[in-house]
Protein backbone atom coordinates (compact mmCIF):
# COMPACT_ATOMS: atom_id res chain seq x y z
CA UNK A 1 0.00 0.00 0.00
CA UNK A 2 1.15 3.54 -0.75
CA UNK A 3 0.57 6.38 1.68
CA UNK A 4 0.45 9.99 0.52
CA UNK A 5 0.70 12.83 3.01
CA UNK A 6 0.05 16.44 1.99
CA UNK A 7 1.28 19.52 3.81
CA UNK A 8 1.62 23.24 3.22
CA UNK A 9 -1.99 24.32 3.14
CA UNK A 10 -3.29 27.26 5.11
CA UNK A 11 -4.67 30.76 4.82
CA UNK A 12 -3.43 33.22 2.20
CA UNK A 13 -4.58 36.57 0.93
CA UNK A 14 -5.62 37.07 -2.66
CA UNK A 15 -2.51 37.57 -4.74
CA UNK A 16 -0.40 35.59 -2.30
CA UNK A 17 1.38 32.26 -2.62
CA UNK A 18 1.44 28.85 -1.01
CA UNK A 19 3.43 25.71 -1.75
CA UNK A 20 1.89 22.32 -1.16
CA UNK A 21 3.97 19.19 -0.70
CA UNK A 22 3.00 15.54 -0.95
CA UNK A 23 5.33 12.79 0.22
CA UNK A 24 4.82 9.15 -0.70
CA UNK A 25 5.78 6.20 1.48
CA UNK A 26 5.10 2.50 1.77
CA UNK A 27 5.12 0.08 -1.13
CA UNK A 28 6.72 1.69 -4.13
CA UNK A 29 5.82 1.07 -7.73
CA UNK A 30 7.57 1.89 -10.90
CA UNK A 31 7.59 5.49 -12.09
CA UNK A 32 4.13 6.69 -11.18
CA UNK A 33 2.59 9.83 -12.57
CA UNK A 34 1.30 12.14 -9.83
CA UNK A 35 -1.48 14.65 -9.71
CA UNK A 36 -3.19 17.31 -7.64
CA UNK A 37 -6.95 17.67 -7.35
CA UNK A 38 -9.11 20.05 -5.34
CA UNK A 39 -12.60 20.05 -3.92
CA UNK A 40 -14.47 23.18 -2.90
CA UNK A 41 -17.52 22.98 -0.60
CA UNK A 42 -20.53 21.67 -2.46
CA UNK A 43 -18.56 20.94 -5.62
CA UNK A 44 -17.08 17.90 -7.30
CA UNK A 45 -13.41 17.09 -6.89
CA UNK A 46 -11.60 18.52 -9.90
CA UNK A 47 -8.26 18.02 -11.55
CA UNK A 48 -5.62 20.71 -11.02
CA UNK A 49 -2.28 19.49 -12.34
CA UNK A 50 -0.29 16.36 -13.16
CA UNK A 51 3.31 15.39 -13.79
CA UNK A 52 5.08 12.35 -15.18
CA UNK A 53 7.90 10.52 -13.41
CA UNK A 54 10.46 11.99 -15.82
CA UNK A 55 9.15 15.53 -15.15
CA UNK A 56 9.28 16.08 -18.88
CA UNK A 57 5.54 16.39 -19.12
CA UNK A 58 3.15 18.39 -16.99
CA UNK A 59 -0.42 19.51 -17.49
CA UNK A 60 -2.52 22.10 -15.66
CA UNK A 61 -6.18 22.94 -15.88
CA UNK A 62 -6.88 26.21 -17.69
CA UNK A 63 -7.98 28.04 -14.54
CA UNK A 64 -4.54 27.70 -12.96
CA UNK A 65 -2.25 27.96 -15.97
CA UNK A 66 0.36 30.63 -15.46
CA UNK A 67 -0.27 30.65 -11.70
CA UNK A 68 0.30 27.09 -10.45
CA UNK A 69 3.35 24.93 -11.12
CA UNK A 70 3.65 21.23 -10.40
CA UNK A 71 7.07 19.69 -9.82
CA UNK A 72 8.58 16.65 -8.16
CA UNK A 73 11.72 15.39 -6.46
CA UNK A 74 11.89 11.67 -7.11
CA UNK A 75 14.78 11.17 -4.70
CA UNK A 76 12.52 12.48 -1.92
CA UNK A 77 9.34 10.79 -3.23
CA UNK A 78 7.74 14.22 -3.08
CA UNK A 79 5.57 16.21 -5.46
CA UNK A 80 4.94 19.93 -5.08
CA UNK A 81 2.32 22.43 -6.15
CA UNK A 82 3.53 26.01 -6.16
CA UNK A 83 0.50 28.29 -6.15
CA UNK A 84 1.01 31.96 -6.98
CA UNK A 85 -1.42 34.82 -7.58
CA UNK A 86 -3.99 33.01 -5.50
CA UNK A 87 -7.66 33.89 -5.91
CA UNK A 88 -10.60 33.34 -3.54
CA UNK A 89 -11.96 30.78 -6.01
CA UNK A 90 -8.86 28.65 -5.36
CA UNK A 91 -10.22 27.95 -1.88
CA UNK A 92 -10.63 24.18 -1.54
CA UNK A 93 -9.25 21.04 0.00
CA UNK A 94 -6.30 19.99 -2.15
CA UNK A 95 -5.56 16.30 -2.65
CA UNK A 96 -2.45 14.58 -3.90
CA UNK A 97 -2.89 11.42 -5.99
CA UNK A 98 -0.69 8.76 -7.54
CA UNK A 99 -1.39 6.38 -10.38
CA UNK A 100 0.29 3.10 -11.23
CA UNK A 101 1.01 4.19 -14.78
CA UNK A 102 3.52 6.79 -15.83
CA UNK A 103 1.40 8.75 -18.26
CA UNK A 104 -0.49 11.94 -17.46
CA UNK A 105 -4.11 11.65 -16.41
CA UNK A 106 -6.84 14.12 -15.50
CA UNK A 107 -9.68 11.88 -14.33
CA UNK A 108 -10.16 10.87 -10.71
CA UNK A 109 -10.63 7.18 -11.47
CA UNK A 110 -7.29 7.04 -13.25
CA UNK A 111 -5.56 7.49 -9.90
CA UNK A 112 -5.17 4.67 -7.41
CA UNK A 113 -3.80 6.30 -4.27
CA UNK A 114 -4.95 9.47 -2.51
CA UNK A 115 -3.80 11.64 0.36
CA UNK A 116 -6.07 12.91 3.10
CA UNK A 117 -6.13 16.45 1.74
CA UNK A 118 -4.94 19.84 2.95
CA UNK A 119 -7.12 22.93 3.26
CA UNK A 120 -6.27 26.05 1.28
CA UNK A 121 -8.25 29.19 2.06
CA UNK A 122 -7.77 32.40 0.10
CA UNK A 123 -9.26 35.57 1.50
CA UNK A 124 -10.21 38.56 -0.64
Amino acid sequence: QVQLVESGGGLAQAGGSLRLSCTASGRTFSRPAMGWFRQAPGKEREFVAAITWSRLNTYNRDAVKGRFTISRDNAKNTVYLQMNSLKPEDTAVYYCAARQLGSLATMRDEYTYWGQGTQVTVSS
Side-chain angles (χ1 to χ4, degrees):
Q1 192 72 359
V2 174
Q3 290 80 43
L4 302 176
V5 179
E6 302 100 334
S7 61
L11 177 64
Q13 291 187 331
S17 299
L18 286 172
R19 189 173 85 152
L20 306 183
S21 300
C22 171
T23 300
S25 62
R27 184 180 71 87
T28 59
F29 47 93
S30 179
R31 305 189 174 189
M34 303 287 292
W36 286 97
F37 287 72
R38 67 186 181 186
Q39 187 167 17
K43 295 187 177 180
E44 294 288 318
R45 191 172 300 187
E46 64 181 15
F47 168 78
V48 176
I51 186 168
T52 55
W53 172 266
S54 67
R55 293 163 290 183
L56 292 177
N57 294 294
T58 64
Y59 184 75
N60 294 2
R61 70 180 297 112
D62 288 345
V64 305
K65 284 182 179 177
R67 300 189 298 121
F68 291 10
T69 302
I70 187 170
S71 61
R72 67 190 295 170
D73 184 337
N74 292 332
K76 296 181 179 180
N77 292 324
T78 300
V79 62
Y80 305 96
L81 186 68
Q82 178 66 45
M83 305 186 294
N84 299 327
S85 302
L86 284 164
K87 302 177 180 180
E89 51 264 43
D90 295 320
T91 295
V93 177
Y94 283 70
Y95 297 90
C96 171
R99 62 190 312 242
Q100 293 180 314
L101 300 176
S103 55
L104 294 177
T106 63
M107 306 299 290
R108 288 177 57 180
D109 59 7
E110 295 179 292
Y111 289 83
T112 304
Y113 303 102
W114 292 84
Q116 81 290 348
T118 184
Q119 176 70 47
V120 170
T121 303
V122 184
S123 62
S124 58

